[in-house]
Amino acid sequence: MNHVVDSNGSVQNLNGVLEEKLDELRALIGKAEGDPLRIVGIGAGAWGSVFTALLQESYGHLRDKVLIRIWRRPGRSVDRATAEHLFEVINSREDVLRRLIRRCAYLKYVEARLGDRILHADVILKDGFCLNMIDTPLCPLKVVTNLQEAVWDADIVINGLPSTETCEVFEEISRYWKERITMPIIISLAKGVEAELEPEPRIITPTQMINRATGVPMENILYLGGPNIASEIYNKEYANARICGAEKWRKPLAKFLRQPHFVVWDNGDLVTHEVMGGLKNVYAIGAGMVAALTNESATSKSVYFAHCTSEMIFITHLLTEEPEKLAGPLLADTYVTLLKGRNAWYGQKLAKGELSLEMGDSIKGKGMIQGVSAVKAFYELLSQSSISVLHPDKNKPVAPVELCPILKMLYRILITREFTVQAILQALRDETMNDPRDRIEIAQTHVFYRPALLGQKP
């Protein structure tokens, strides 16, 4: 039995607390006795796998009340180098080694290490190994490779897919939900965004994609995000997140998901928080480039940080009526992504020549680099003359992107490929660039708010 000691020194039964939280959620959803609550994760990237594993560790022992599974596509093979590294990880962790031997699962990793067997991502995930996060073994997971089997009777669906894949997969899922009487609850972890330019410019977020694809009402779709690194959360580093959406579900789900090391708050502003999660990925790529090109110069990185934060503040004034409420969460998420996120890592590798743009934005061992598509989305959106703003120096209307030189340069490096990575430093050293303080002042002293950008009415 698991126990936890509170601040008064008394011991309470943790399993009892977890079962009570599960019972409350089951009652709210309307689950009958003997009918388990069915939770399924869709997509097995680092965060999707960790999120599912956290639920499995907390509630998996209550088998008669909850069934937790994860779906990933079958057939993805593990290359020899990764198999060799995985074998080293297994043998460096006595608990993992003993678990695999006890489950009669160790031999296949020996054979893969010797080159006598090919492992597949869905098979190793059952043993707790996420292909994008080999160095952090998870608990064993129930893996399903048939999408229809995974989702057709799910009560709660966790979207762990990149934004670039969300629409396609959920359109397929919608075919399996045509006969459903009750709608599932969907929690999206995706931080990417896409741009839609017709009939008028607006951002499309993963929760909106899911709503369009499936017809599940927005009341049942939530977003969970925060300044988190997946491997650190699984290793019980203290972290927090926000679950955003309709009050009916966000408050009980926040309580259900909350753990001693993982505090979950709730907020009603769904789309704006979701968009901010995508925005910081844009500038994280540039931060990685600057760090690598300047040999980790603290001064250069701080100059970049000043410019990128001022652009993000400017953009938030376009997207929300009360941008100051987002300042803390956005900066926290940006900070952790710059420190250890995959988008900053990607920028560094590009600048060092260890990766190239021709390799695409789905990288072995890391998964999808969502900042690349976010650069394209924000640039295309903010380039539209229909949402022009008054330029402070030229005193004439310009597209908002003209006041975001870092975003412009990242687009010309990553998307049109007009410039090499080194051009990000030229952008920083441009003598005509406005003082970051001026950009913030412009945002704060002008009415830039464009509710239509998030599909909202004025």
Side-chain angles (χ1 to χ4, degrees):
M1 299 286 283
N2 295 320
H3 294 84
V4 62
V5 181
D6 66 22
S7 57
N8 296 320
S10 62
V11 178
Q12 67 184 67
N13 186 293
L14 181 56
N15 282 346
V17 173
L18 290 169
E19 187 167 7
E20 183 180 320
K21 292 200 294 183
L22 177 57
D23 287 341
E24 288 179 9
L25 186 60
R26 282 174 50 85
L28 193 61
I29 291 175
K31 299 299 290 184
E33 189 75 24
D35 183 15
L37 180 70
R38 292 172 172 82
I39 302 175
V40 61
I42 301 299
W47 186 210
S49 297
V50 163
F51 195 83
T52 305
L54 290 174
L55 292 174
Q56 177 64 31
E57 282 196 336
S58 295
Y59 298 102
H61 64 285
L62 302 167
R63 296 183 186 89
D64 58 331
K65 295 187 175 184
V66 66
L67 174 62
I68 301 165
R69 300 182 295 176
I70 187 169
W71 171 84
R72 72 152 295 135
R73 293 182 179 90
R76 174 77 180 273
S77 60
V78 179
D79 62 50
R80 177 77 180 273
T82 303
E84 291 175 356
H85 180 58
L86 177 55
F87 188 70
E88 292 174 3
V89 171
I90 291 169
N91 288 311
S92 68
R93 291 275 302 268
E94 184 177 336
D95 58 329
V96 176
L97 182 59
R98 288 184 179 279
R99 187 186 79 203
L100 291 174
I101 292 173
R102 189 169 62 248
R103 291 163 58 94
C104 301
Y106 181 63
L107 182 59
K108 64 174 173 274
Y109 295 100
V110 177
E111 293 173 341
R113 166 65 180 83
L114 296 173
D116 296 335
R117 179 174 184 155
I118 296 176
L119 296 172
H120 290 88
D122 57 292
V123 174
I124 67 173
L125 186 60
K126 292 178 182 178
D127 293 325
F129 302 110
C130 170
L131 191 57
N132 293 346
M133 200 175 57
I134 291 296
D135 290 315
T136 305
L138 309 174
C139 64
L141 295 171
K142 296 180 179 68
V143 180
V144 182
T145 55
N146 182 295
L147 186 58
Q148 182 175 7
E149 178 188 346
V151 303
W152 76 273
D153 61 349
D155 299 299
I156 299 176
V157 175
I158 313 297
N159 175 36
L161 297 164
S163 63
T164 48
E165 297 178 22
T166 294
C167 188
E168 178 186 350
V169 173
F170 275 86
E171 282 178 352
E172 181 179 348
I173 288 174
S174 70
R175 301 204 302 268
Y176 311 135
W177 284 350
K178 286 182 178 179
E179 306 301 322
R180 286 192 68 131
I181 299 172
T182 59
M183 287 291 103
I185 300 164
I186 301 171
I187 303 173
S188 180
L189 310 177
K191 290 185 175 180
V193 295
E194 305 294 324
E196 184 177 81
L197 305 180
E198 299 292 340
E200 59 181 352
R202 60 170 293 187
I203 287 174
I204 301 296
T205 66
T207 60
Q208 292 168 331
M209 296 177 199
I210 293 168
N211 168 254
R212 286 182 176 185
T214 63
V216 173
M218 287 302 294
E219 180 186 61
N220 281 37
I221 306 175
L222 303 99
Y223 164 72
L224 185 138
N228 305 314
I229 301 298
S231 60
E232 294 186 356
I233 293 177
Y234 190 76
N235 289 330
K236 305 296 188 289
E237 297 291 342
Y238 177 77
N240 58 64
R242 282 178 182 80
I243 187 164
C244 305
E247 186 171 350
K248 177 183 178 181
W249 294 118
R250 73 171 192 264
K251 289 188 177 296
L253 284 170
K255 183 178 180 180
F256 177 71
L257 297 171
R258 190 175 296 127
Q259 299 185 20
H261 69 283
F262 186 56
V263 175
V264 181
W265 298 312
D266 69 276
N267 190 281
D269 193 350
L270 166 64
V271 175
T272 309
H273 277 85
E274 199 176 8
V275 171
M276 294 306 105
L279 180 60
K280 53 86 183 176
N281 287 335
V282 168
Y283 293 97
I285 295 178
M289 293 175 179
V290 171
L293 293 171
T294 62
N295 197 27
E296 298 289 343
S297 163
T299 302
S300 296
K301 288 193 288 186
S302 67
V303 170
Y304 177 83
F305 190 72
H307 282 290
C308 80
T309 51
S310 72
E311 289 191 17
M312 286 193 290
I313 290 169
F314 173 75
I315 293 170
T316 58
H317 276 74
L318 287 167
L319 298 176
T320 180
E321 197 167 12
E322 298 177 301
E324 60 278 354
K325 291 184 178 180
L326 295 169
L330 177 57
L331 286 177
D333 211 352
T334 302
Y335 181 64
V336 76
T337 304
L338 266 55
L339 284 176
K340 206 172 179 180
R342 76 180 74 176
N343 289 279
W345 171 89
Y346 178 71
Q348 284 187 321
K349 294 297 182 182
L350 285 177
K352 291 178 180 179
E354 296 173 19
L355 291 176
S356 69
L357 294 173
E358 286 70 27
M359 297 169 70
D361 49 7
S362 182
I363 305 299
K364 172 189 165 186
K366 287 290 181 179
M368 182 64 67
I369 308 300
Q370 298 200 89
V372 177
S373 61
V375 166
K376 183 175 185 290
F378 278 105
Y379 179 89
E380 289 179 348
L381 184 78
L382 300 180
S383 297
Q384 302 303 304
S385 58
S386 60
I387 56 170
S388 62
V389 298
L390 190 66
H391 195 288
D393 296 332
K394 300 176 182 178
N395 199 31
K396 66 176 184 179
V398 295
V401 77
E402 295 303 321
L403 295 174
C404 301
I406 301 296
L407 174 59
K408 282 182 66 177
M409 184 54 73
L410 287 170
Y411 181 83
R412 298 172 83 176
I413 293 171
L414 296 170
I415 308 302
T416 62
R417 304 182 186 181
E418 301 169 55
F419 293 96
T420 63
V421 171
Q422 287 73 18
I424 194 70
L425 294 183
Q426 296 173 22
L428 283 183
R429 295 164 182 166
D430 185 352
E431 293 183 5
T432 65
M433 183 182 286
N434 287 345
D435 184 332
R437 179 184 174 279
D438 294 340
R439 189 176 297 108
I440 295 172
E441 187 174 348
I442 292 166
Q444 292 175 337
T445 57
H446 293 70
V447 181
F448 284 156
Y449 177 43
R450 302 288 191 276
L453 292 178
L454 295 185
Q456 299 169 356
K457 295 180 180 180

